[in-house]
Amino acid sequence: MSVARTPLVAGNWKMHKTVTEAEEFIQGLLPRVSTSEGVEVAICPAFTALQAMVDSTRGSRVQVFAQTMHQAGHGAFTGEVSAAMLTELDVHGVILGHSERRELFGETDKALALKVPAALEAGLVPILCVGETDEERERGDTERKLRHQIQEGLSKVQAAEIPRVVIAYEPIWAIGTGKVASVEQAQEAAGFIRALVADRSAEQAEHVRVLYGGSVKAQNARELLALPDVDGALVGGASLEAESFAAIVAAAG
Ligand code: PGA
């Protein structure tokens, strides 16, 4: 029996939007997504705008996610935030292992193996990002890379908790490049990721949401979101304007 998974469309703002700009955006977004049934909507602002966005979205259908967090509960980690600091703000979840965190800030699979269970334990929904570089795809190493990232990322997650994890397949060559994966590539990778999760627990894998990310726009969202193993999108550039983000949400509904 196939399991119905509620699609999730999450906007990763990266290092964009001050509090003032975020407030302006949310006033434009809320009326545009108020009627989108059957889809979860999330924005992922910078730390500085989290509290304002939680307050401004209260009672709406829009969830607020952070873009990263540290695995430890507290400690001498200058510049970092813990899961408890996020849940105290009423943040719903957190992106973990985005390729920019991995490439530019040295986030490792070893740290992610601790971050995913730490987020779950705090009651946050983790979006674990995985994906291959251009060279890895050319070399035929896509599956090996995904296998390693998924196995490490889920290694310390209890089987019963697996359905709460969201996995975002984000081919690095498609992020911010305007080069979107073909529907065949996106489905193949998302299906492969689900099969990897099934190695841990076949039953739980049916519940895990696998998002696609990488140059998702209003124009290509519908075909990507219709794929059998794609349960939503992680959107960068096109999430910065309320109109284009709402159009992607509408394509998922
Ligand atoms: P993009 O970014 O939509 O701008 O390609 C996606 C992401 O980095 O999550």
Side-chain angles (χ1 to χ4, degrees):
M1 205 183 79
S2 76
V3 172
R5 295 179 292 266
T6 306
L8 169 65
V9 176
N12 174 14
W13 290 355
K14 310 191 179 186
M15 200 174 76
H16 293 281
K17 296 196 191 297
T18 63
V19 174
T20 309
E21 289 162 350
E23 291 287 10
E24 204 175 302
F25 170 93
I26 207 70
Q27 296 321 320
L29 182 72
L30 291 181
R32 288 185 163 94
V33 297
S34 62
T35 56
S36 308
E37 295 293 327
V39 47
E40 288 181 27
V41 184
I43 52 169
C44 315
F47 287 136
T48 45
L50 284 175
Q51 182 71 75
M53 289 302 95
V54 167
D55 292 341
S56 295
T57 55
R58 220 180 280 284
S60 81
R61 56 186 304 110
V62 177
Q63 303 168 358
V64 179
F65 279 56
Q67 297 177 11
T68 184
M69 64 165 222
H70 197 272
Q71 61 271 30
H74 52 82
F77 303 109
T78 301
E80 292 289 325
V81 306
S82 71
M85 292 171 187
L86 298 175
T87 53
E88 190 184 46
L89 303 185
D90 260 352
V91 164
H92 192 87
V94 59
I95 300 175
L96 294 174
H98 189 279
S99 60
E100 285 150 21
R101 299 296 319 168
R102 293 177 187 261
E103 285 189 349
L104 305 173
F105 303 101
E107 185 161 52
T108 62
D109 284 312
K110 214 164 139 228
L112 287 160
L114 300 173
K115 289 185 186 207
V116 179
L120 289 166
E121 207 170 300
L124 294 165
V125 172
I127 300 178
L128 173 66
C129 301
V130 297
E132 79 288 359
T133 62
D134 217 358
E135 299 76 56
E136 286 163 339
R137 178 164 282 270
E138 293 290 307
R139 280 205 308 265
D141 272 346
T142 300
E143 294 198 345
R144 193 201 321 213
K145 174 82 173 287
L146 295 177
R147 181 179 297 112
H148 181 75
Q149 290 182 320
I150 297 284
Q151 283 178 349
E152 286 280 308
L154 298 183
S155 59
K156 293 180 167 53
V157 177
Q158 310 270 344
E161 293 288 292
I162 286 178
R164 292 180 50 218
V165 180
V166 178
I167 298 172
Y169 169 60
E170 297 208 306
I172 295 169
W173 47 270
I175 295 179
T177 56
K179 252 206 298 184
V180 66
S182 68
V183 285
E184 291 79 15
Q185 288 170 327
Q187 169 54 31
E188 193 182 11
F192 181 69
I193 287 168
R194 196 174 308 285
L196 290 171
V197 180
D199 289 343
R200 280 290 308 278
S201 165
E203 195 197 329
Q204 312 289 33
E206 286 302 306
H207 296 274
V208 167
R209 288 179 292 180
V210 180
L211 314 184
Y212 169 79
S215 298
V216 176
K217 307 268 177 275
Q219 301 86 297
N220 58 29
R222 199 169 292 279
E223 57 177 12
L224 289 162
L225 291 165
L227 295 170
D229 281 299
V230 173
D231 311 306
L234 184 55
V235 187
S239 75
L240 294 173
E241 299 288 341
E243 202 177 337
S244 53
F245 188 54
I248 296 169
V249 172

